[in-house]
Amino acid sequence: MRSKMHCMRVVLACALVAACSKATLVGAGARRSTTPPIVAPTVLPVPDRICEPLGWVPSPDGRWIAYLRRAEWDREGFQIPYQLTELWIQERGSGHRRRLLDYTRLSPEWSRSFAPNSTPFGAAGGFSFRLLSWSPDSTAIALEEAGDDWIFRGSVVVEIERERIIELEGGGLAWSPDGSRAVLCKGHGLDCPDGLLLVDLGRGEVRHDLAGIDVNDYGWHRTGLVAVAAYLKEKDRYGWWVYDPGIGSSSLQPVEWPSIVDLLPPTTTWWAPEPGEPLPCNTTARHDSQPAR
């Protein structure tokens, strides 16, 4: 086991140099890196590339920087490389770094459900997150995932202090202005045919609202209500509705036009290339106040 870990450290040190060839990745003369190796299943060979930092998003309170690390394996028969992604944070004052998420902290059921086409080893949990966003109160990070066939699949929310992970079957996550809740579409696709998921971070609960309703648009109303645009069959009316997330969709009330809170958009950290195009990969690791260019 020790020899395998040593080999991974050597590989990482070389992979962080963009000009490294696959041959030098396992060369005896490679320097060891102070960055811990990517956590990967033992069934996988040495990564072809390690990309970092991806994202480099400061928290709203200025204390943290969040970024992703991604290991890539080239595999025939897949539109993009097989990938494993990790979430890290760095404290801006001390420079201390901490790994918050790797594949071992996600359930195999979640991984298999949302990354079946990009996972040659189903139980290994291959995934690559596309969007990264902080909660407005800087207590949690949302990661949204996409695969190699342009179908949006799943998301996770990671709470910083508790290191609690909430797995979600949906996407298009929007934070409440105070950061205590989040709302997102339920479903695997890019549309929203089955209502919304309401995440309550204080309780660690996820609730399915407006089940079976095709939601066209949604967001947080300035008063802290959830606003949705949809046709409600029982009311025989299409338009905007608002409801109190503490009560649920039973409190739906019609409104002419809601004031949607427009928070800063999430950072794009990855996007699938067109077939035959190379996948962007920054292999120059920097852990200071600026992202690598």
Side-chain angles (χ1 to χ4, degrees), residues 54-88:
L54 305 174
W56 204 256
V57 186
S59 60
D61 64 4
R63 180 182 177 185
W64 304 99
I65 295 288
Y67 65 97
L68 303 181
R69 300 175 69 208
R70 186 177 69 234
E72 298 178 356
W73 291 260
D74 294 322
R75 288 289 176 270
E76 294 183 4
F78 291 88
Q79 181 176 314
I80 61 173
Y82 172 74
Q83 301 166 61
L84 287 173
T85 302
E86 297 180 347
L87 170 65
W88 287 69

PDB file of all heavy atoms in Angstrom, residues 54-88:
ATOM      1  N   LEU A  54      -9.433  24.337 -10.489  1.00  0.00           N
ATOM      2  CA  LEU A  54     -10.555  24.653 -11.352  1.00  0.00           C
ATOM      3  C   LEU A  54     -11.599  25.394 -10.519  1.00  0.00           C
ATOM      4  O   LEU A  54     -12.033  24.904  -9.494  1.00  0.00           O
ATOM      5  CB  LEU A  54     -11.152  23.372 -11.934  1.00  0.00           C
ATOM      6  CG  LEU A  54     -10.172  22.470 -12.687  1.00  0.00           C
ATOM      7  CD1 LEU A  54     -10.848  21.166 -13.074  1.00  0.00           C
ATOM      8  CD2 LEU A  54      -9.619  23.170 -13.914  1.00  0.00           C
ATOM      9  N   GLY A  55     -12.003  26.555 -10.969  1.00  0.00           N
ATOM     10  CA  GLY A  55     -12.969  27.354 -10.238  1.00  0.00           C
ATOM     11  C   GLY A  55     -12.321  28.516  -9.529  1.00  0.00           C
ATOM     12  O   GLY A  55     -12.357  29.644  -9.990  1.00  0.00           O
ATOM     13  N   TRP A  56     -11.682  28.231  -8.397  1.00  0.00           N
ATOM     14  CA  TRP A  56     -11.004  29.272  -7.601  1.00  0.00           C
ATOM     15  C   TRP A  56     -11.984  30.393  -7.245  1.00  0.00           C
ATOM     16  O   TRP A  56     -11.856  31.534  -7.644  1.00  0.00           O
ATOM     17  CB  TRP A  56      -9.794  29.815  -8.357  1.00  0.00           C
ATOM     18  CG  TRP A  56      -8.754  30.405  -7.467  1.00  0.00           C
ATOM     19  CD1 TRP A  56      -8.508  31.728  -7.256  1.00  0.00           C
ATOM     20  CD2 TRP A  56      -7.813  29.699  -6.647  1.00  0.00           C
ATOM     21  NE1 TRP A  56      -7.476  31.896  -6.375  1.00  0.00           N
ATOM     22  CE2 TRP A  56      -7.023  30.661  -5.980  1.00  0.00           C
ATOM     23  CE3 TRP A  56      -7.582  28.355  -6.406  1.00  0.00           C
ATOM     24  CZ2 TRP A  56      -6.021  30.303  -5.096  1.00  0.00           C
ATOM     25  CZ3 TRP A  56      -6.570  28.005  -5.532  1.00  0.00           C
ATOM     26  CH2 TRP A  56      -5.803  28.972  -4.888  1.00  0.00           C
ATOM     27  N   VAL A  57     -13.014  30.032  -6.460  1.00  0.00           N
ATOM     28  CA  VAL A  57     -14.117  30.940  -6.162  1.00  0.00           C
ATOM     29  C   VAL A  57     -14.026  31.409  -4.712  1.00  0.00           C
ATOM     30  O   VAL A  57     -14.095  30.583  -3.789  1.00  0.00           O
ATOM     31  CB  VAL A  57     -15.473  30.245  -6.389  1.00  0.00           C
ATOM     32  CG1 VAL A  57     -16.613  31.234  -6.214  1.00  0.00           C
ATOM     33  CG2 VAL A  57     -15.520  29.610  -7.774  1.00  0.00           C
ATOM     34  N   PRO A  58     -13.873  32.706  -4.457  1.00  0.00           N
ATOM     35  CA  PRO A  58     -13.820  33.193  -3.071  1.00  0.00           C
ATOM     36  C   PRO A  58     -15.193  33.141  -2.419  1.00  0.00           C
ATOM     37  O   PRO A  58     -16.219  33.340  -3.070  1.00  0.00           O
ATOM     38  CB  PRO A  58     -13.331  34.635  -3.216  1.00  0.00           C
ATOM     39  CG  PRO A  58     -13.729  35.036  -4.596  1.00  0.00           C
ATOM     40  CD  PRO A  58     -13.675  33.783  -5.433  1.00  0.00           C
ATOM     41  N   SER A  59     -15.217  32.861  -1.118  1.00  0.00           N
ATOM     42  CA  SER A  59     -16.480  32.877  -0.373  1.00  0.00           C
ATOM     43  C   SER A  59     -16.943  34.315  -0.197  1.00  0.00           C
ATOM     44  O   SER A  59     -16.131  35.251  -0.189  1.00  0.00           O
ATOM     45  CB  SER A  59     -16.298  32.205   0.984  1.00  0.00           C
ATOM     46  OG  SER A  59     -15.308  32.876   1.756  1.00  0.00           O
ATOM     47  N   PRO A  60     -18.245  34.552  -0.032  1.00  0.00           N
ATOM     48  CA  PRO A  60     -18.751  35.921   0.120  1.00  0.00           C
ATOM     49  C   PRO A  60     -18.140  36.676   1.292  1.00  0.00           C
ATOM     50  O   PRO A  60     -17.972  37.901   1.226  1.00  0.00           O
ATOM     51  CB  PRO A  60     -20.261  35.713   0.321  1.00  0.00           C
ATOM     52  CG  PRO A  60     -20.550  34.442  -0.412  1.00  0.00           C
ATOM     53  CD  PRO A  60     -19.346  33.574  -0.176  1.00  0.00           C
ATOM     54  N   ASP A  61     -17.788  35.974   2.375  1.00  0.00           N
ATOM     55  CA  ASP A  61     -17.189  36.667   3.522  1.00  0.00           C
ATOM     56  C   ASP A  61     -15.686  36.852   3.379  1.00  0.00           C
ATOM     57  O   ASP A  61     -15.043  37.436   4.249  1.00  0.00           O
ATOM     58  CB  ASP A  61     -17.502  35.922   4.823  1.00  0.00           C
ATOM     59  CG  ASP A  61     -16.891  34.526   4.884  1.00  0.00           C
ATOM     60  OD1 ASP A  61     -16.144  34.138   3.948  1.00  0.00           O
ATOM     61  OD2 ASP A  61     -17.165  33.802   5.864  1.00  0.00           O
ATOM     62  N   GLY A  62     -15.099  36.358   2.291  1.00  0.00           N
ATOM     63  CA  GLY A  62     -13.687  36.557   2.019  1.00  0.00           C
ATOM     64  C   GLY A  62     -12.743  35.632   2.760  1.00  0.00           C
ATOM     65  O   GLY A  62     -11.524  35.732   2.586  1.00  0.00           O
ATOM     66  N   ARG A  63     -13.274  34.696   3.539  1.00  0.00           N
ATOM     67  CA  ARG A  63     -12.404  33.844   4.342  1.00  0.00           C
ATOM     68  C   ARG A  63     -11.803  32.694   3.540  1.00  0.00           C
ATOM     69  O   ARG A  63     -10.654  32.310   3.765  1.00  0.00           O
ATOM     70  CB  ARG A  63     -13.181  33.275   5.529  1.00  0.00           C
ATOM     71  CG  ARG A  63     -12.337  32.367   6.417  1.00  0.00           C
ATOM     72  CD  ARG A  63     -13.143  31.774   7.560  1.00  0.00           C
ATOM     73  NE  ARG A  63     -12.337  30.849   8.343  1.00  0.00           N
ATOM     74  CZ  ARG A  63     -12.801  30.094   9.351  1.00  0.00           C
ATOM     75  NH1 ARG A  63     -14.085  30.186   9.685  1.00  0.00           N
ATOM     76  NH2 ARG A  63     -11.994  29.277   9.999  1.00  0.00           N
ATOM     77  N   TRP A  64     -12.571  32.142   2.617  1.00  0.00           N
ATOM     78  CA  TRP A  64     -12.182  30.917   1.939  1.00  0.00           C
ATOM     79  C   TRP A  64     -12.054  31.110   0.433  1.00  0.00           C
ATOM     80  O   TRP A  64     -12.671  32.008  -0.145  1.00  0.00           O
ATOM     81  CB  TRP A  64     -13.208  29.800   2.181  1.00  0.00           C
ATOM     82  CG  TRP A  64     -13.501  29.474   3.601  1.00  0.00           C
ATOM     83  CD1 TRP A  64     -14.567  29.895   4.354  1.00  0.00           C
ATOM     84  CD2 TRP A  64     -12.709  28.650   4.469  1.00  0.00           C
ATOM     85  NE1 TRP A  64     -14.490  29.378   5.616  1.00  0.00           N
ATOM     86  CE2 TRP A  64     -13.367  28.606   5.722  1.00  0.00           C
ATOM     87  CE3 TRP A  64     -11.527  27.936   4.297  1.00  0.00           C
ATOM     88  CZ2 TRP A  64     -12.878  27.885   6.797  1.00  0.00           C
ATOM     89  CZ3 TRP A  64     -11.026  27.214   5.370  1.00  0.00           C
ATOM     90  CH2 TRP A  64     -11.697  27.192   6.604  1.00  0.00           C
ATOM     91  N   ILE A  65     -11.273  30.223  -0.185  1.00  0.00           N
ATOM     92  CA  ILE A  65     -11.264  30.025  -1.627  1.00  0.00           C
ATOM     93  C   ILE A  65     -11.680  28.577  -1.875  1.00  0.00           C
ATOM     94  O   ILE A  65     -11.134  27.656  -1.262  1.00  0.00           O
ATOM     95  CB  ILE A  65      -9.875  30.265  -2.237  1.00  0.00           C
ATOM     96  CG1 ILE A  65      -9.451  31.726  -2.074  1.00  0.00           C
ATOM     97  CG2 ILE A  65      -9.858  29.867  -3.713  1.00  0.00           C
ATOM     98  CD1 ILE A  65     -10.199  32.697  -2.965  1.00  0.00           C
ATOM     99  N   ALA A  66     -12.649  28.359  -2.745  1.00  0.00           N
ATOM    100  CA  ALA A  66     -13.055  27.003  -3.111  1.00  0.00           C
ATOM    101  C   ALA A  66     -12.546  26.703  -4.518  1.00  0.00           C
ATOM    102  O   ALA A  66     -12.579  27.570  -5.395  1.00  0.00           O
ATOM    103  CB  ALA A  66     -14.569  26.860  -3.065  1.00  0.00           C
ATOM    104  N   TYR A  67     -12.054  25.491  -4.710  1.00  0.00           N
ATOM    105  CA  TYR A  67     -11.597  25.098  -6.033  1.00  0.00           C
ATOM    106  C   TYR A  67     -11.725  23.584  -6.187  1.00  0.00           C
ATOM    107  O   TYR A  67     -11.935  22.852  -5.215  1.00  0.00           O
ATOM    108  CB  TYR A  67     -10.145  25.540  -6.286  1.00  0.00           C
ATOM    109  CG  TYR A  67      -9.107  24.880  -5.408  1.00  0.00           C
ATOM    110  CD1 TYR A  67      -8.387  23.770  -5.848  1.00  0.00           C
ATOM    111  CD2 TYR A  67      -8.816  25.391  -4.142  1.00  0.00           C
ATOM    112  CE1 TYR A  67      -7.423  23.168  -5.052  1.00  0.00           C
ATOM    113  CE2 TYR A  67      -7.856  24.809  -3.333  1.00  0.00           C
ATOM    114  CZ  TYR A  67      -7.158  23.696  -3.798  1.00  0.00           C
ATOM    115  OH  TYR A  67      -6.206  23.109  -3.003  1.00  0.00           O
ATOM    116  N   LEU A  68     -11.621  23.121  -7.427  1.00  0.00           N
ATOM    117  CA  LEU A  68     -11.740  21.708  -7.736  1.00  0.00           C
ATOM    118  C   LEU A  68     -10.404  21.167  -8.245  1.00  0.00           C
ATOM    119  O   LEU A  68      -9.614  21.893  -8.861  1.00  0.00           O
ATOM    120  CB  LEU A  68     -12.811  21.468  -8.801  1.00  0.00           C
ATOM    121  CG  LEU A  68     -14.220  21.966  -8.497  1.00  0.00           C
ATOM    122  CD1 LEU A  68     -15.153  21.624  -9.648  1.00  0.00           C
ATOM    123  CD2 LEU A  68     -14.743  21.400  -7.206  1.00  0.00           C
ATOM    124  N   ARG A  69     -10.179  19.891  -7.975  1.00  0.00           N
ATOM    125  CA  ARG A  69      -9.093  19.134  -8.598  1.00  0.00           C
ATOM    126  C   ARG A  69      -9.749  18.002  -9.385  1.00  0.00           C
ATOM    127  O   ARG A  69     -10.708  17.406  -8.928  1.00  0.00           O
ATOM    128  CB  ARG A  69      -8.145  18.543  -7.545  1.00  0.00           C
ATOM    129  CG  ARG A  69      -7.474  19.560  -6.673  1.00  0.00           C
ATOM    130  CD  ARG A  69      -6.652  18.847  -5.601  1.00  0.00           C
ATOM    131  NE  ARG A  69      -5.499  18.180  -6.187  1.00  0.00           N
ATOM    132  CZ  ARG A  69      -4.928  17.085  -5.678  1.00  0.00           C
ATOM    133  NH1 ARG A  69      -5.432  16.509  -4.604  1.00  0.00           N
ATOM    134  NH2 ARG A  69      -3.868  16.551  -6.252  1.00  0.00           N
ATOM    135  N   ARG A  70      -9.193  17.713 -10.554  1.00  0.00           N
ATOM    136  CA  ARG A  70      -9.799  16.682 -11.389  1.00  0.00           C
ATOM    137  C   ARG A  70      -8.716  15.767 -11.955  1.00  0.00           C
ATOM    138  O   ARG A  70      -7.721  16.242 -12.520  1.00  0.00           O
ATOM    139  CB  ARG A  70     -10.580  17.307 -12.536  1.00  0.00           C
ATOM    140  CG  ARG A  70     -11.360  16.285 -13.361  1.00  0.00           C
ATOM    141  CD  ARG A  70     -12.188  16.950 -14.447  1.00  0.00           C
ATOM    142  NE  ARG A  70     -11.371  17.518 -15.495  1.00  0.00           N
ATOM    143  CZ  ARG A  70     -11.438  18.773 -15.913  1.00  0.00           C
ATOM    144  NH1 ARG A  70     -12.308  19.598 -15.360  1.00  0.00           N
ATOM    145  NH2 ARG A  70     -10.658  19.221 -16.871  1.00  0.00           N
ATOM    146  N   ALA A  71      -8.893  14.473 -11.775  1.00  0.00           N
ATOM    147  CA  ALA A  71      -8.031  13.485 -12.409  1.00  0.00           C
ATOM    148  C   ALA A  71      -8.742  12.935 -13.637  1.00  0.00           C
ATOM    149  O   ALA A  71      -9.956  12.696 -13.607  1.00  0.00           O
ATOM    150  CB  ALA A  71      -7.709  12.350 -11.437  1.00  0.00           C
ATOM    151  N   GLU A  72      -7.998  12.739 -14.718  1.00  0.00           N
ATOM    152  CA  GLU A  72      -8.590  12.288 -15.972  1.00  0.00           C
ATOM    153  C   GLU A  72      -7.868  11.047 -16.493  1.00  0.00           C
ATOM    154  O   GLU A  72      -6.636  10.958 -16.452  1.00  0.00           O
ATOM    155  CB  GLU A  72      -8.511  13.388 -17.039  1.00  0.00           C
ATOM    156  CG  GLU A  72      -9.272  14.642 -16.661  1.00  0.00           C
ATOM    157  CD  GLU A  72      -9.148  15.734 -17.709  1.00  0.00           C
ATOM    158  OE1 GLU A  72      -8.394  15.539 -18.702  1.00  0.00           O
ATOM    159  OE2 GLU A  72      -9.798  16.770 -17.537  1.00  0.00           O
ATOM    160  N   TRP A  73      -8.673  10.103 -16.959  1.00  0.00           N
ATOM    161  CA  TRP A  73      -8.172   8.893 -17.608  1.00  0.00           C
ATOM    162  C   TRP A  73      -8.745   8.829 -19.013  1.00  0.00           C
ATOM    163  O   TRP A  73      -9.963   8.907 -19.186  1.00  0.00           O
ATOM    164  CB  TRP A  73      -8.582   7.640 -16.843  1.00  0.00           C
ATOM    165  CG  TRP A  73      -7.944   7.453 -15.509  1.00  0.00           C
ATOM    166  CD1 TRP A  73      -6.889   6.647 -15.213  1.00  0.00           C
ATOM    167  CD2 TRP A  73      -8.351   8.028 -14.267  1.00  0.00           C
ATOM    168  NE1 TRP A  73      -6.596   6.703 -13.866  1.00  0.00           N
ATOM    169  CE2 TRP A  73      -7.480   7.546 -13.256  1.00  0.00           C
ATOM    170  CE3 TRP A  73      -9.352   8.932 -13.894  1.00  0.00           C
ATOM    171  CZ2 TRP A  73      -7.583   7.908 -11.921  1.00  0.00           C
ATOM    172  CZ3 TRP A  73      -9.467   9.317 -12.567  1.00  0.00           C
ATOM    173  CH2 TRP A  73      -8.584   8.795 -11.592  1.00  0.00           C
ATOM    174  N   ASP A  74      -7.897   8.703 -20.019  1.00  0.00           N
ATOM    175  CA  ASP A  74      -8.385   8.546 -21.394  1.00  0.00           C
ATOM    176  C   ASP A  74      -8.854   7.111 -21.603  1.00  0.00           C
ATOM    177  O   ASP A  74      -8.135   6.161 -21.318  1.00  0.00           O
ATOM    178  CB  ASP A  74      -7.269   8.867 -22.392  1.00  0.00           C
ATOM    179  CG  ASP A  74      -6.869  10.330 -22.334  1.00  0.00           C
ATOM    180  OD1 ASP A  74      -7.763  11.174 -22.157  1.00  0.00           O
ATOM    181  OD2 ASP A  74      -5.668  10.618 -22.451  1.00  0.00           O
ATOM    182  N   ARG A  75     -10.080   6.974 -22.105  1.00  0.00           N
ATOM    183  CA  ARG A  75     -10.628   5.650 -22.337  1.00  0.00           C
ATOM    184  C   ARG A  75     -11.309   5.617 -23.700  1.00  0.00           C
ATOM    185  O   ARG A  75     -12.088   6.525 -24.034  1.00  0.00           O
ATOM    186  CB  ARG A  75     -11.655   5.282 -21.247  1.00  0.00           C
ATOM    187  CG  ARG A  75     -11.024   4.988 -19.897  1.00  0.00           C
ATOM    188  CD  ARG A  75     -10.271   3.655 -19.940  1.00  0.00           C
ATOM    189  NE  ARG A  75      -9.591   3.402 -18.687  1.00  0.00           N
ATOM    190  CZ  ARG A  75      -8.357   3.791 -18.427  1.00  0.00           C
ATOM    191  NH1 ARG A  75      -7.672   4.475 -19.317  1.00  0.00           N
ATOM    192  NH2 ARG A  75      -7.786   3.505 -17.275  1.00  0.00           N
ATOM    193  N   GLU A  76     -11.034   4.603 -24.478  1.00  0.00           N
ATOM    194  CA  GLU A  76     -11.691   4.466 -25.772  1.00  0.00           C
ATOM    195  C   GLU A  76     -13.180   4.225 -25.579  1.00  0.00           C
ATOM    196  O   GLU A  76     -13.605   3.564 -24.644  1.00  0.00           O
ATOM    197  CB  GLU A  76     -11.072   3.310 -26.554  1.00  0.00           C
ATOM    198  CG  GLU A  76      -9.625   3.542 -26.963  1.00  0.00           C
ATOM    199  CD  GLU A  76      -9.088   2.409 -27.803  1.00  0.00           C
ATOM    200  OE1 GLU A  76      -9.889   1.500 -28.118  1.00  0.00           O
ATOM    201  OE2 GLU A  76      -7.896   2.432 -28.142  1.00  0.00           O
ATOM    202  N   GLY A  77     -13.966   4.789 -26.495  1.00  0.00           N
ATOM    203  CA  GLY A  77     -15.399   4.588 -26.446  1.00  0.00           C
ATOM    204  C   GLY A  77     -16.152   5.640 -25.655  1.00  0.00           C
ATOM    205  O   GLY A  77     -17.375   5.589 -25.564  1.00  0.00           O
ATOM    206  N   PHE A  78     -15.436   6.623 -25.101  1.00  0.00           N
ATOM    207  CA  PHE A  78     -16.102   7.684 -24.348  1.00  0.00           C
ATOM    208  C   PHE A  78     -15.802   9.022 -25.000  1.00  0.00           C
ATOM    209  O   PHE A  78     -14.686   9.277 -25.454  1.00  0.00           O
ATOM    210  CB  PHE A  78     -15.618   7.703 -22.894  1.00  0.00           C
ATOM    211  CG  PHE A  78     -16.085   6.505 -22.103  1.00  0.00           C
ATOM    212  CD1 PHE A  78     -15.340   5.344 -22.087  1.00  0.00           C
ATOM    213  CD2 PHE A  78     -17.278   6.541 -21.407  1.00  0.00           C
ATOM    214  CE1 PHE A  78     -15.764   4.223 -21.386  1.00  0.00           C
ATOM    215  CE2 PHE A  78     -17.710   5.435 -20.708  1.00  0.00           C
ATOM    216  CZ  PHE A  78     -16.962   4.275 -20.699  1.00  0.00           C
ATOM    217  N   GLN A  79     -16.833   9.867 -25.057  1.00  0.00           N
ATOM    218  CA  GLN A  79     -16.693  11.160 -25.712  1.00  0.00           C
ATOM    219  C   GLN A  79     -15.701  12.049 -24.991  1.00  0.00           C
ATOM    220  O   GLN A  79     -14.990  12.837 -25.597  1.00  0.00           O
ATOM    221  CB  GLN A  79     -18.065  11.846 -25.774  1.00  0.00           C
ATOM    222  CG  GLN A  79     -18.054  13.201 -26.474  1.00  0.00           C
ATOM    223  CD  GLN A  79     -19.452  13.766 -26.587  1.00  0.00           C
ATOM    224  OE1 GLN A  79     -20.372  13.063 -26.970  1.00  0.00           O
ATOM    225  NE2 GLN A  79     -19.627  15.012 -26.240  1.00  0.00           N
ATOM    226  N   ILE A  80     -15.659  11.950 -23.684  1.00  0.00           N
ATOM    227  CA  ILE A  80     -14.712  12.713 -22.878  1.00  0.00           C
ATOM    228  C   ILE A  80     -13.964  11.734 -21.997  1.00  0.00           C
ATOM    229  O   ILE A  80     -14.373  10.588 -21.839  1.00  0.00           O
ATOM    230  CB  ILE A  80     -15.428  13.767 -22.003  1.00  0.00           C
ATOM    231  CG1 ILE A  80     -16.404  13.081 -21.040  1.00  0.00           C
ATOM    232  CG2 ILE A  80     -16.118  14.803 -22.849  1.00  0.00           C
ATOM    233  CD1 ILE A  80     -17.013  14.006 -20.036  1.00  0.00           C
ATOM    234  N   PRO A  81     -12.860  12.152 -21.381  1.00  0.00           N
ATOM    235  CA  PRO A  81     -12.144  11.237 -20.496  1.00  0.00           C
ATOM    236  C   PRO A  81     -12.978  10.859 -19.275  1.00  0.00           C
ATOM    237  O   PRO A  81     -13.870  11.586 -18.852  1.00  0.00           O
ATOM    238  CB  PRO A  81     -10.910  12.040 -20.076  1.00  0.00           C
ATOM    239  CG  PRO A  81     -10.761  13.096 -21.107  1.00  0.00           C
ATOM    240  CD  PRO A  81     -12.150  13.427 -21.540  1.00  0.00           C
ATOM    241  N   TYR A  82     -12.677   9.703 -18.726  1.00  0.00           N
ATOM    242  CA  TYR A  82     -13.234   9.310 -17.438  1.00  0.00           C
ATOM    243  C   TYR A  82     -12.618  10.205 -16.376  1.00  0.00           C
ATOM    244  O   TYR A  82     -11.419  10.483 -16.411  1.00  0.00           O
ATOM    245  CB  TYR A  82     -12.911   7.839 -17.172  1.00  0.00           C
ATOM    246  CG  TYR A  82     -13.272   7.379 -15.783  1.00  0.00           C
ATOM    247  CD1 TYR A  82     -14.598   7.164 -15.439  1.00  0.00           C
ATOM    248  CD2 TYR A  82     -12.292   7.186 -14.818  1.00  0.00           C
ATOM    249  CE1 TYR A  82     -14.939   6.746 -14.170  1.00  0.00           C
ATOM    250  CE2 TYR A  82     -12.629   6.772 -13.544  1.00  0.00           C
ATOM    251  CZ  TYR A  82     -13.942   6.545 -13.228  1.00  0.00           C
ATOM    252  OH  TYR A  82     -14.281   6.143 -11.970  1.00  0.00           O
ATOM    253  N   GLN A  83     -13.416  10.679 -15.425  1.00  0.00           N
ATOM    254  CA  GLN A  83     -12.940  11.706 -14.513  1.00  0.00           C
ATOM    255  C   GLN A  83     -13.378  11.449 -13.076  1.00  0.00           C
ATOM    256  O   GLN A  83     -14.437  10.885 -12.823  1.00  0.00           O
ATOM    257  CB  GLN A  83     -13.482  13.078 -14.946  1.00  0.00           C
ATOM    258  CG  GLN A  83     -13.060  13.459 -16.352  1.00  0.00           C
ATOM    259  CD  GLN A  83     -13.867  14.609 -16.865  1.00  0.00           C
ATOM    260  OE1 GLN A  83     -13.835  15.681 -16.285  1.00  0.00           O
ATOM    261  NE2 GLN A  83     -14.589  14.404 -17.940  1.00  0.00           N
ATOM    262  N   LEU A  84     -12.545  11.902 -12.153  1.00  0.00           N
ATOM    263  CA  LEU A  84     -12.890  11.993 -10.742  1.00  0.00           C
ATOM    264  C   LEU A  84     -12.580  13.409 -10.285  1.00  0.00           C
ATOM    265  O   LEU A  84     -11.497  13.932 -10.574  1.00  0.00           O
ATOM    266  CB  LEU A  84     -12.090  11.001  -9.897  1.00  0.00           C
ATOM    267  CG  LEU A  84     -12.471   9.522 -10.002  1.00  0.00           C
ATOM    268  CD1 LEU A  84     -11.467   8.668  -9.240  1.00  0.00           C
ATOM    269  CD2 LEU A  84     -13.862   9.281  -9.454  1.00  0.00           C
ATOM    270  N   THR A  85     -13.507  14.023  -9.589  1.00  0.00           N
ATOM    271  CA  THR A  85     -13.339  15.405  -9.160  1.00  0.00           C
ATOM    272  C   THR A  85     -13.352  15.493  -7.639  1.00  0.00           C
ATOM    273  O   THR A  85     -14.124  14.809  -6.981  1.00  0.00           O
ATOM    274  CB  THR A  85     -14.472  16.289  -9.720  1.00  0.00           C
ATOM    275  OG1 THR A  85     -14.482  16.193 -11.136  1.00  0.00           O
ATOM    276  CG2 THR A  85     -14.275  17.745  -9.334  1.00  0.00           C
ATOM    277  N   GLU A  86     -12.492  16.358  -7.114  1.00  0.00           N
ATOM    278  CA  GLU A  86     -12.450  16.625  -5.679  1.00  0.00           C
ATOM    279  C   GLU A  86     -12.729  18.097  -5.415  1.00  0.00           C
ATOM    280  O   GLU A  86     -12.328  18.963  -6.206  1.00  0.00           O
ATOM    281  CB  GLU A  86     -11.079  16.270  -5.096  1.00  0.00           C
ATOM    282  CG  GLU A  86     -10.721  14.810  -5.197  1.00  0.00           C
ATOM    283  CD  GLU A  86      -9.358  14.499  -4.620  1.00  0.00           C
ATOM    284  OE1 GLU A  86      -8.570  15.449  -4.356  1.00  0.00           O
ATOM    285  OE2 GLU A  86      -9.066  13.311  -4.429  1.00  0.00           O
ATOM    286  N   LEU A  87     -13.392  18.388  -4.294  1.00  0.00           N
ATOM    287  CA  LEU A  87     -13.621  19.758  -3.842  1.00  0.00           C
ATOM    288  C   LEU A  87     -12.667  20.077  -2.705  1.00  0.00           C
ATOM    289  O   LEU A  87     -12.573  19.328  -1.730  1.00  0.00           O
ATOM    290  CB  LEU A  87     -15.071  19.932  -3.374  1.00  0.00           C
ATOM    291  CG  LEU A  87     -15.392  21.259  -2.656  1.00  0.00           C
ATOM    292  CD1 LEU A  87     -15.241  22.445  -3.607  1.00  0.00           C
ATOM    293  CD2 LEU A  87     -16.795  21.212  -2.052  1.00  0.00           C
ATOM    294  N   TRP A  88     -11.963  21.202  -2.834  1.00  0.00           N
ATOM    295  CA  TRP A  88     -11.039  21.683  -1.812  1.00  0.00           C
ATOM    296  C   TRP A  88     -11.392  23.118  -1.440  1.00  0.00           C
ATOM    297  O   TRP A  88     -11.959  23.866  -2.240  1.00  0.00           O
ATOM    298  CB  TRP A  88      -9.601  21.658  -2.327  1.00  0.00           C
ATOM    299  CG  TRP A  88      -9.003  20.292  -2.436  1.00  0.00           C
ATOM    300  CD1 TRP A  88      -9.333  19.301  -3.316  1.00  0.00           C
ATOM    301  CD2 TRP A  88      -7.948  19.763  -1.622  1.00  0.00           C
ATOM    302  NE1 TRP A  88      -8.563  18.197  -3.108  1.00  0.00           N
ATOM    303  CE2 TRP A  88      -7.692  18.445  -2.089  1.00  0.00           C
ATOM    304  CE3 TRP A  88      -7.188  20.270  -0.572  1.00  0.00           C
ATOM    305  CZ2 TRP A  88      -6.709  17.636  -1.520  1.00  0.00           C
ATOM    306  CZ3 TRP A  88      -6.203  19.465  -0.013  1.00  0.00           C
ATOM    307  CH2 TRP A  88      -5.983  18.157  -0.481  1.00  0.00           C
TER     308      TRP A  88
END
